[in-house]
Amino acid sequence: MSVDPRLAALSINHKTVDGWSMPELVDGVAAAGLQAIGTWREPVAEYGLDRAAKLVRDAGLRVTSHCRGGFLTATDPAARAAAIEDNRRAIDETATLGAPTLVIVAGGLPDGSRDLVGARERVADALAELAPYAGERGVRLALEALHPMYVADRAVISTLGQALDLAEPFPVEQVGVVVDTFHVWWDPEVWRSIDRAGDRIASFQVCDFLMPIPADVLLARGYMGDGVIDFPPFVAAVEAAGWRGEVEVEIFNADVWAEPKAQVVETVKQRYLAVVVPG
Amino acid sequence: MSVDPRLAALSINHKTVDGWSMPELVDGVAAAGLQAIGTWREPVAEYGLDRAAKLVRDAGLRVTSHCRGGFLTATDPAARAAAIEDNRRAIDETATLGAPTLVIVAGGLPDGSRDLVGARERVADALAELAPYAGERGVRLALEALHPMYVADRAVISTLGQALDLAEPFPVEQVGVVVDTFHVWWDPEVWRSIDRAGDRIASFQVCDFLMPIPADVLLARGYMGDGVIDFPPFVAAVEAAGWRGEVEVEIFNADVWAEPKAQVVETVKQRYLAVVVPG
């Protein structure tokens, strides 16, 4: 099979083909002529961590990111300790999979809380506990700013600039940031923030932002080209900032999930070439 | 009727009691012992501009803001010229109503466009045409940052900081900003931005942000206390920045709109006292 050389940088996040087992993911991505995947904890655990690591390694694939750690905003001491411990396990998994990066989704407001400032401070405190642990295992925590519509229930990190504020107290090899077009495209400061990010960029993810926003706002992601994002300026910006890693495609979308998975991978390849890195 | 003196600062935006005619709004607000309203163009036009101005004046009410101008992102020259002309009419109306402030909602991406940077530049260009016209009539344009979930279809101004960047080239009496808790509460830079805003603050609006976000994302607003926003820090911040004007309550919510209007006004009063300016 002849493969466009631009596809060497394309990574398929497991969520895009949600429902595939680990072997189906690895086989499907390799069969499509691709070289990289983003993994999620649950399917890795289901298949077995060591088996999953061997499966990926034997197939010659790279794991670009492991999803996900975080949810670090609890006020209850026991819940907080459990979250820290769970993140240590996620860091261990990331190292075993040979992935450089664990994606961190900060977590939202605790139930009934309106203290957004406090929740953000607790994320910073938790990072101080986790960053050295990650660094010792050769794993970088990648702080993901999520679109502000998810601030209350999912991630109190809302902009790339805020993610950088949280990352910069730590060594660059311990804490970086995710640039996910879906989450940051609206931000008037995004170009300045990407430039500022430089070698803090630990993951570059793409998918489109669909309009109108569907009833389940978690599923507003779509194939590149189906929404309102102009992708090439983002590719140019992260490259100008020094990013030489993969472009990972992560799509949460009920219609995409209903399609045959191999067809989803083909559509992602076509859209990546036509819309993300055209010409 | 004995009225809590804190209510002197409470203004009822017409949208909160959508469905009331202008006389019903004026009578209902006065009957509730309140002194201020925010008006909308359509009901004012329906009742007649000069009649509406007289109605408000005779009732001794203040108009804190007139809603709304803007929608300044068109690329088509004819559509753009029509938008500028329509904004001049909105400025004239604002002056006739004796309101200090015309709220400006920037507008979203033109149909089929993905050029967010260009849309934002066109807003800045349009302001340069409108600001002197407003200033000559004693009207201040109040740029409203809308929550980033509305950037594609409604307002390419997404943060208070961006609104200030757009406002600051103009004299402070010509272009200010709206601080609307619903739209800005998530922003990690909001405290710095409110402080920076200072006497650029031209309108302070409150309503709560409901979770989960309803299927129609335009209707995610609720009574103060029903959502996730902590209001007193916002009151303190705008006061520290120098704001001495009203607190306008603007709620878009299908359930609220289905209630008897006088009851809505009572609930707003109670929630304002209990949740926004407690103690």
Side-chain angles (χ1 to χ4, degrees), chain B residues 36-190:
Chain B
I37 57 173
T39 52
W40 276 68
R41 298 188 69 190
E42 295 77 3
V44 165
E46 190 178 320
Y47 187 69
L49 174 61
D50 290 328
R51 281 178 80 203
K54 181 173 189 314
L55 180 77
V56 171
R57 202 165 51 237
D58 290 351
L61 297 183
R62 303 186 298 279
V63 179
T64 48
S65 76
H66 190 46
C67 293
R68 59 193 182 186
F71 298 93
L72 297 167
T73 53
T75 45
D76 173 67
R80 178 184 168 77
I84 295 285
E85 182 55 27
D86 188 54
N87 274 272
R88 290 201 184 99
R89 295 295 75 74
I91 292 166
D92 295 342
E93 290 166 27
T94 308
T96 300
L97 288 165
T101 298
L102 174 66
V103 172
I104 299 290
V105 172
L109 293 170
D111 276 355
S113 170
R114 294 185 176 88
D115 180 14
L116 185 53
V117 172
R120 286 168 166 164
E121 289 170 355
R122 289 192 296 281
V123 172
D125 293 344
L127 288 175
E129 293 188 57
L130 292 169
Y133 186 91
E136 288 163 13
R137 281 148 191 84
V139 169
R140 183 147 72 149
L141 306 177
L143 307 183
E144 183 161 22
L146 263 59
H147 191 287
M149 65 187 170
Y150 306 124
V151 65
D153 62 353
R154 198 153 298 259
V156 296
I157 302 180
S158 303
T159 65
L160 186 54
Q162 181 196 4
L164 288 167
D165 288 343
L166 285 161
E168 284 173 351
F170 302 99
V172 70
E173 68 276 13
Q174 289 181 10
V175 184
V177 297
V178 180
V179 177
D180 183 326
T181 56
F182 176 86
H183 292 303
V184 304
W185 74 281
W186 61 269
D187 183 356
E189 295 294 316
V190 71

Side-chain angles (χ1 to χ4, degrees), chain A residues 99-128:
Chain A
T101 298
L102 175 65
V103 173
I104 299 290
V105 173
L109 293 171
D111 275 353
S113 169
R114 294 186 175 88
D115 180 14
L116 184 55
V117 172
R120 286 169 167 162
E121 288 169 355
R122 290 193 294 281
V123 172
D125 293 344
L127 288 175

Side-chain angles (χ1 to χ4, degrees), chain A residues 109 114 116-117 120 147-149 151-153 158-159 162 185-189 191 211 213 215 225 227-230, chain B residues 109 114 116-117 120 147-149 151-153 158-159 162 165 185-188 191 211 213 215 225 227-230:
Chain A
L109 293 171
R114 294 186 175 88
L116 184 55
V117 172
R120 286 169 167 162
H147 191 287
M149 66 187 169
V151 66
D153 63 352
S158 304
T159 64
Q162 182 196 3
W185 74 282
W186 61 271
D187 184 354
E189 294 295 317
W191 311 111
M211 290 294 299
I213 297 172
V228 290
I229 298 177
D230 184 22
Chain B
L109 293 170
R114 294 185 176 88
L116 185 53
V117 172
R120 286 168 166 164
H147 191 287
M149 65 187 170
V151 65
D153 62 353
S158 303
T159 65
Q162 181 196 4
D165 288 343
W185 74 281
W186 61 269
D187 183 356
W191 311 111
M211 290 296 296
I213 297 171
V228 290
I229 298 178
D230 184 21

